[in-house]
Amino acid sequence: MSGTAAARFPDIRSALDPLVRLSARLGHDPLLVQASSGNTSIKLDGVLWIKASGKWMADADRQEMFVPVPLAEARERLARHTDLAADSTRAADHATRPAAQTMSASIETFMHAVVPHRVVVHVHSVNAIAWAVRQDAEAELAERLSGLRWQWIPYVPSGRPLASEMEKVASRRADTDVFVLGNHGLVICGPDCNAVEVLLGEVERRLAIVPRRAPVARKALLEQLACISPWRIPQTDALHALGTDATSRRILRGGVLYPCQAIFLGHPAPMIPCSIPVSDVRDGIGGQYAHRPFLIVEGSGVMLSQKITRAEIAVLSGLVEVVQRIGPSAPVRHLTHNEVAGVVSGDGVRYRTSAENNESANGASRECFQSSRWNGEELSR
Ligand SMILES: [Zn+2]
């Protein structure tokens, strides 16, 4: 940190430390955060310190990733419908680190700014999303979150639209500290990091769903395909559920469930029947799906592109966890055509590029589900 920053924020490292440690813990839980998704913030002396766009929370305790944004200015810009901060965040940012390391504040900065609570955590909880993609989400959640100060927000795009909706909803009940975002995720707020983590644990406990067990993959057929194509077999058996589980395939055929799915994995879901001749598969793989990170072989399993990135694997793993938690008779609400088009243009593309440029320095492959505090095994007890 530069001398200027030290003068401006003399105790900032110790003040941010609980948020840094909480962010790292959340980032290591693939059932809550995938790749660079999710964001955390704390308000300190009129400054909103928020996770930088594209950074992986799992790296919070080994990389600088919190950007200071003047809180009043962020709120004012939202009210005036002007964009945040290329100038303001950079100005603040330059005060804390060399220009070569400048970072942009999260796309959800406005949302964090309008919530009155000191600490705000936004996660892509697979349990919350499995409820939040249902047409009857609000009623189902009301049963499970009864007694908590929570509110439901139907899908709105990230950034300014979500922040405006959040502001409207929060103004109706200022003590709301749990927001479930339709087709998106979860926001938990509180006076300090400990309170937020405890509340998040309680919400997760109430929303926990035991994932369906999928039939085992047909590895012999997949190995045949791997021999004649650029596709490879995943190291993690869990990914095959998208191909072997009929309910999962039907849900994916219906469209996109949430923005990260469209941004990182594309749409529609790439599927080939397992019954077509191998020679046809080879031709199909060479053309239609060559640019996709994964391929579903119906009834058999999933293949991965040799070029798949860590971010894509993390998001794909999260998708498996979500889809396996949606029951066969659940009334699913997919994103509309216009909503998907909005997601994959502009900010969505920048978000994806940023996530891949910042791929986690974590040595462990994101293909593996490990060290999860709220893992399926635990939930099934
Ligand atoms: Zn999000």
Side-chain angles (χ1 to χ4, degrees), residues 126-374:
V126 299
N127 285 304
I129 294 175
W131 293 112
V133 297
R134 295 175 61 122
Q135 293 166 21
D136 57 358
E138 189 172 8
E140 292 288 339
L141 289 164
E143 217 175 280
R144 286 159 183 83
L145 299 180
S146 169
L148 298 183
R149 296 180 295 256
W150 78 283
Q151 293 202 65
W152 163 249
I153 299 182
Y155 177 79
V156 278
S158 286
R160 184 184 300 283
L162 176 55
S164 297
E165 199 55 36
M166 187 83 96
E167 189 173 36
K168 202 178 354 168
V169 166
S171 70
R172 287 203 292 265
R173 270 184 22 215
D175 65 344
T176 304
D177 50 14
V178 176
F179 299 87
V180 185
L181 313 181
N183 293 87
H184 186 164
L186 193 58
V187 176
I188 306 284
C189 320
D192 56 55
C193 290
N194 185 54
V196 167
E197 191 167 20
V198 168
L199 182 56
L200 173 59
E202 174 64 12
V203 170
E204 281 293 306
R205 188 185 66 75
R206 290 175 180 228
L207 298 186
I209 302 171
V210 178
R212 258 189 321 282
R213 282 192 185 281
V216 295
R218 292 169 61 193
K219 292 266 181 75
L221 185 135
L222 298 180
E223 277 161 12
Q224 244 188 314
L225 295 181
C227 286
I228 58 153
S229 75
W231 300 91
R232 68 175 172 89
I233 300 178
Q235 294 165 18
T236 313
D237 282 346
L239 296 182
H240 292 301
L242 295 185
T244 59
D245 183 78
T247 299
S248 295
R249 294 200 306 273
R250 183 175 52 74
I251 292 168
L252 290 182
R253 269 196 210 98
V256 174
L257 295 170
Y258 51 92
C260 277
Q261 179 190 348
I263 292 169
F264 287 90
L265 304 177
H267 66 98
M271 285 193 209
I272 59 168
C274 65
S275 55
I276 63 174
V278 168
S279 57
D280 290 359
V281 170
R282 178 169 36 198
D283 295 342
I285 287 172
Q288 189 181 359
Y289 299 123
H291 63 290
R292 304 296 291 273
F294 74 106
L295 178 70
I296 293 169
V297 185
E298 291 177 7
S300 297
V302 162
M303 309 280 284
L304 301 183
S305 162
Q306 301 287 352
K307 295 178 187 165
I308 192 167
T309 65
R310 267 205 177 137
E312 289 165 343
I313 287 176
V315 174
L316 180 61
S317 300
L319 179 64
V320 173
E321 295 296 325
V322 170
V323 171
Q324 292 302 105
R325 283 170 168 76
I326 302 172
S329 58
V332 178
R333 190 258 179 204
H334 293 91
L335 294 180
T336 66
H337 180 76
N338 283 347
E339 287 167 348
V340 173
V343 159
V344 297
S345 63
D347 284 344
V349 174
R350 281 194 292 279
Y351 172 59
R352 177 198 168 115
T353 306
S354 175
E356 289 176 349
N357 288 342
N358 285 288
E359 290 220 333
S360 173
N362 189 349
S365 166
R366 288 292 168 140
E367 195 178 318
C368 305
F369 268 71
Q370 295 171 338
S371 67
S372 166
R373 289 180 303 123
W374 291 296

Side-chain angles (χ1 to χ4, degrees), residues 37-39 107-108 111 122-124 158 162 181 184-186 259-260 351:
S37 71
N39 29 72
I107 185 178
E108 305 292 19
M111 176 183 85
H122 167 48
V123 289
H124 289 183
S158 286
L162 176 55
L181 313 181
H184 186 164
L186 193 58
C260 277
Y351 172 59

